[in-house]
């Protein structure tokens, strides 16, 4: 979906396909048919943006076979879909029964992360619509925090500098500009937007910036306006933003609140949990750990890294951090010029929701994704952006 900003530029809104498990190119093609096109039809749109997730095997197949890349581009066109952004964070196995810590491997200390991201950039130059010259890729924020040392930091910095050089060369070759954004996430080396400033200014290249995920921003109790103002002052580009909401518990000391939270403790994904105390941010790596005895102070609200559907906050006594998303979006695109032109709804946890909240069919899932995109569209038009055909 495209929107005209009051300054005349085009802002793109997509939804991320990592909600649909697919490791191979055939799986990606099935996604377009079974999920993406039905969502577009529900929205009554001739064109729908998708933030494509390409696992390692799918990316390799597209890089090694130009005809396969052309076929994918034709299939996107045929189904009324377009791609300006890729989710390059998960590498493979994102649809596995247990993902947890595996999603952070390989990290930016491993040459395979550089090779994979380079492959994604090459693929994206072939998928961009004819009238679009800028693409974006989100990637993991360097590494999970444990085991990361000065040697790892040097390797990561060198890898990202090499990536920037490759992206420069790719633009010279194709005329298309691809940028990559580190996506701060709780528990990682770069947990907050503030943590991103030092490594990104050390790289000092406009092709490597930040991807602001509003669920992660909220989980770490960052104020959106302060965070985005600080990034702007530091000259760190916001390559893209993922529009998502975290799980919020206002009174985690109450038994009924803990019982409600326990329903969201599930085995597939890591749900880092945080609370803001007078001594600073405190947290656990997973929600179940937070609910164990006194692992986390419970005198102030808790937030958990669980991407809850934008349009359907959990029932009381829980809620979501949708207000943080709204505040961030106001700063991202509500000013005289947008801070980023690539927005992506990223709720990949539909099948990880408590059983009574999960979609029970493809139809229900498509309805839910369409409802999220409708909410995002309404927020954008309320900010003065005009939806384009």
């Amino acid at each position: 979906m495209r929107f005209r900003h009051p300054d005349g530029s085009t802002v793109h809104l997509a939804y991320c396909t990592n909600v649909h498990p697919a490791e191979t190119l055939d799986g990606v093609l099935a996604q377009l048919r079974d999920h993406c096109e039905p969502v577009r039809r529900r929205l009554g749109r001739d064109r729908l943006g998708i933030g494509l997730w390409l696992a390692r095997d799918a990316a390799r197949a597209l890089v090694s076979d130009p005809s396969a890349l052309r076929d994918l581009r034709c299939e996107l066109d045929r189904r009324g879909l377009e791609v300006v952004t890729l989710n390059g964070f998960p590498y493979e196995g994102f649809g596995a029964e247990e993902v947890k810590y595996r999603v952070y491997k390989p990290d930016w200390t491993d040459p395979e992360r550089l090779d994979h991201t380079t492959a994604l950039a090459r693929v994206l130059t072939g998928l961009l619509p004819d009238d679009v010259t800028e693409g974006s890729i989100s990637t993991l924020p360097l590494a999970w925090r444990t085991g990361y040392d000065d040697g790892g930091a040097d390797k990561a910095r060198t890898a990202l500098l090499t990536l920037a050089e490759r992206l420069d060369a790719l633009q010279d070759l194709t005329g298309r500009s691809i940028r990559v954004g580190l996506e701060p996430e709780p528990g990682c080396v770069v947990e907050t937007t503030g943590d991103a400033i030092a490594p990104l200014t050390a790289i000092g290249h406009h092709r490597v910036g930040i991807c602001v995920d509003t669920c992660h921003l909220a989980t770490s109790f960052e104020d959106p306006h302060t965070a985005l103002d600080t990034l702007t002052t530091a000259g760190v580009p916001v390559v893209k933003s993922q529009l998502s909401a975290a799980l919020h518990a206002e009174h985690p000391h109450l038994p009924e609140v803990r019982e409600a939270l326990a329903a969201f403790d599930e085995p597939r994904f890591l749900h880092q949990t945080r609370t803001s105390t007078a001594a600073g941010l405190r947290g656990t790596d997973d929600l179940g750990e937070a609910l164990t005895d006194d692992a986390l102070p419970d005198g102030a609200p808790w937030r958990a890294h669980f991407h809850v559907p934008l349009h359907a906050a959990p029932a009381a006594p829980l809620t979501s951090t949708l207000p943080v998303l709204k505040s961030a979006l106001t700063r991202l695109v509500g000013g005289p010029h947008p801070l980023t032109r690539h927005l992506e709804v990223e709720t990949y946890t539909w099948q990880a929701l408590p059983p009574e909240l999960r979609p029970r069919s493809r139809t229900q899932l498509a309805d839910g994704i369409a409802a999220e995109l409708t909410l995002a569209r309404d927020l954008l038009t309320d900010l003065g952006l005009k939806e384009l055909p």
Side-chain angles (χ1 to χ4, degrees):
M1 299 166 76
R2 298 187 184 192
F3 297 81
R4 179 76 67 217
H5 190 274
D7 76 347
S9 63
T10 300
V11 172
H12 295 265
L13 173 66
Y15 95 86
C16 186
T17 64
N18 63 354
V19 61
H20 312 304
E23 299 290 318
T24 65
L25 185 52
D26 283 346
V28 171
L29 294 171
Q31 284 178 351
L32 305 184
R33 178 193 69 226
D34 296 340
H35 299 289
C36 304
E37 186 177 9
V39 170
R40 177 183 65 77
R41 292 186 182 280
R42 274 167 179 73
L43 291 167
R45 304 286 308 170
D46 293 332
R47 173 173 56 190
L48 176 67
I50 57 171
L52 204 56
W53 173 59
L54 297 171
R56 179 196 65 174
D57 289 349
R60 287 182 179 178
L62 291 166
V63 164
S64 62
D65 185 355
S67 66
L69 183 57
R70 286 194 297 270
D71 288 348
L72 175 57
R73 171 64 196 279
C74 289
E75 188 71 0
L76 288 165
D77 290 342
R78 188 166 76 86
R79 298 194 181 279
L81 306 168
E82 66 178 15
V83 174
V84 302
T85 190
L86 299 179
N87 186 331
F89 195 136
Y91 178 70
E92 61 183 350
F94 199 62
E97 289 185 7
E98 183 177 334
V99 179
K100 298 290 184 181
Y101 293 94
R102 289 167 48 192
V103 76
Y104 306 106
K105 294 291 185 178
D107 61 31
W108 276 102
T109 68
D110 186 333
E112 182 50 42
R113 176 59 65 171
L114 172 62
D115 292 344
H116 177 60
T117 310
T118 302
L120 292 177
R122 290 174 59 190
V123 168
L124 186 53
T125 62
L127 295 182
L128 288 176
D130 292 340
D131 61 345
V132 174
T133 58
E134 295 182 356
S136 61
I137 302 171
S138 46
T139 189
L140 88 160
L142 301 182
W144 185 253
R145 70 185 186 282
T146 54
Y148 190 81
D149 54 18
D150 290 345
D154 289 341
K155 288 179 182 177
R157 183 169 57 252
T158 300
L160 287 166
L161 285 168
T162 301
L163 175 68
E165 292 169 359
R166 292 179 180 178
L167 296 177
D168 281 342
L170 197 58
Q171 182 169 13
D172 291 341
L173 185 67
T174 66
R176 294 180 156 194
S177 172
I178 307 298
R179 297 191 300 164
V180 173
L182 303 184
E183 180 186 331
E185 176 165 314
C188 292
V189 172
V190 175
E191 166 152 344
T192 66
T193 55
D195 294 337
I197 291 173
L200 288 175
T201 51
I203 293 164
H205 200 292
H206 71 282
R207 295 211 186 275
V208 183
I210 194 168
C211 167
V212 175
D213 182 302
T214 59
C215 169
H216 304 171
L217 189 80
T219 301
S220 294
F221 287 86
E222 291 195 77
D223 173 71
H225 289 271
T226 302
L228 292 166
D229 285 348
T230 302
L231 290 173
T232 301
T233 301
V236 173
V238 182
V239 170
K240 66 185 279 191
S241 180
Q242 288 169 327
L243 307 182
S244 52
L247 192 61
H248 180 96
E250 186 68 20
H251 301 293
H253 65 285
L254 296 175
E256 60 268 29
V257 175
R258 286 177 174 256
E259 182 181 355
L261 283 170
F264 286 83
D265 178 30
E266 54 82 39
R268 179 178 293 181
F269 301 112
L270 209 58
H271 301 297
Q272 301 93 315
T273 304
R274 298 288 183 268
T275 186
S276 183
T277 72
L281 206 61
R282 291 279 303 278
T284 60
D285 284 355
D286 213 347
L287 180 55
E289 183 186 349
L291 291 168
T292 303
D293 299 326
D294 299 319
L296 203 58
D298 60 7
W302 286 5
R303 289 176 179 173
H305 171 219
F306 194 118
H307 290 228
V308 295
L310 302 187
H311 68 292
L318 304 179
T319 187
S320 82
T321 61
L322 184 63
V324 177
L325 184 161
K326 292 178 178 179
S327 180
L329 197 59
T330 298
R331 183 70 181 88
L332 285 165
V333 300
H337 303 286
L339 297 184
T340 184
R341 291 189 293 274
H342 290 180
L343 305 172
E344 179 183 62
V345 171
E346 196 213 10
T347 303
Y348 57 83
T349 45
W350 284 93
Q351 299 304 334
L353 290 167
E356 67 276 10
L357 301 179
R358 291 176 200 164
R360 292 183 296 277
S361 64
R362 283 183 191 166
T363 298
Q364 287 187 354
L365 178 59
D367 287 344
I369 293 170
E372 289 195 291
L373 285 166
T374 298
L375 182 149
R377 179 193 65 195
D378 291 346
L379 291 177
L380 291 173
T381 56
D382 286 348
L383 289 170
L385 282 74
K386 181 182 178 183
E387 188 175 5
L388 297 173

